[in-house]
C-alpha cells in the first residue's frame, strides 16, 4: 500500500558525488522518521542516516561529514547527498520510513545501486 521509491544511484569514481532521492506514495500520513540504509556485498544492512521527528539527524560514523540527509516532512520525501565517495560506500541503498506506532522503520523501498570504482 505504502510505497517508497529510490532513484539516483549509479557508477561514480572515488571522490565523486551522488544524490539519491526517495519519494512516497500510497499514504496520507506523515512518517515519524525517514532515512537511508545500505547493504554492501556480503554485508548486513546498516544505517546510513536517519531523521526522526523531534530529534536531530543521525549519521553513521563512516559517512559523517560526507553525506547529508534532507527530509521534506510535508511531502514524505528524503534525499541523500553524498560527496567524497569511497569504494567502501559501494552498496545497495534503501530508503526507509517509520510509521506512527512502530519502533522500527517498517516501510522500505526497493533499493538503488551505488558503485564507487575507478
Amino acid at each position: 500500500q505504502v510505497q517508497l521509491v529510490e532513484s539516483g544511484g549509479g557508477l561514480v569514481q572515488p571522490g565523486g558525488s551522488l544524490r539519491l532521492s526517495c519519494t512516497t506514495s500510497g499514504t496520507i500520513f506523515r512518517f515519524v522518521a525517514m532515512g537511508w540504509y545500505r547493504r554492501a556485498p556480503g554485508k548486513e544492512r546498516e544505517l546510513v542516516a536517519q531523521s526522526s521527528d523531534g530529534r536531530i539527524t543521525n549519521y553513521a560514523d563512516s559517512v559523517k561529514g560526507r553525506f547529508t540527509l534532507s527530509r521534506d516532512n510535508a511531502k514524505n520525501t528524503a534525499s541523500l547527498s553524498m560527496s567524497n565517495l569511497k569504494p567502501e560506500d559501494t552498496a545497495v541503498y534503501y530508503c526507509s520510513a517509520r510509521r506512527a506506532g512502530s519502533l522500527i522503520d517498517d516501510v522500505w523501498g526497493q533499493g538503488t545501486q551505488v558503485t564507487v570504482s575507478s
Side-chain angles (χ1 to χ4, degrees), residues 52-71:
S52 302
D53 288 354
R55 305 181 69 178
I56 63 174
T57 300
N58 296 314
Y59 294 94
D61 289 340
S62 60
V63 307
K64 285 183 177 178
R66 301 188 298 118
F67 290 12
T68 301
L69 172 66
S70 299
R71 176 187 173 193

Side-chain angles (χ1 to χ4, degrees), residues 60-94:
D61 289 340
S62 60
V63 307
K64 285 183 177 178
R66 301 188 298 118
F67 290 12
T68 301
L69 172 66
S70 299
R71 176 187 173 193
D72 188 327
N73 294 328
K75 298 180 180 179
N76 284 335
T77 61
S79 64
L80 185 68
S81 297
M82 305 181 293
S83 63
N84 192 24
L85 285 162
K86 305 175 180 180
E88 50 263 44
D89 294 319
T90 296
V92 178
Y93 285 71
Y94 298 90

Side-chain angles (χ1 to χ4, degrees), residues 27-42:
T27 182
I28 62 173
F29 302 104
R30 285 182 58 193
F31 296 121
V32 297
M34 293 192 74
W36 290 86
Y37 286 75
R38 68 185 181 186
R39 187 179 69 233

Side-chain angles (χ1 to χ4, degrees), residues 93-110:
Y93 285 71
Y94 298 90
C95 182
S96 66
R98 184 180 305 178
R99 293 177 288 187
S102 178
L103 298 178
I104 61 172
D105 292 357
D106 58 350
V107 183
W108 296 86
Q110 82 290 342

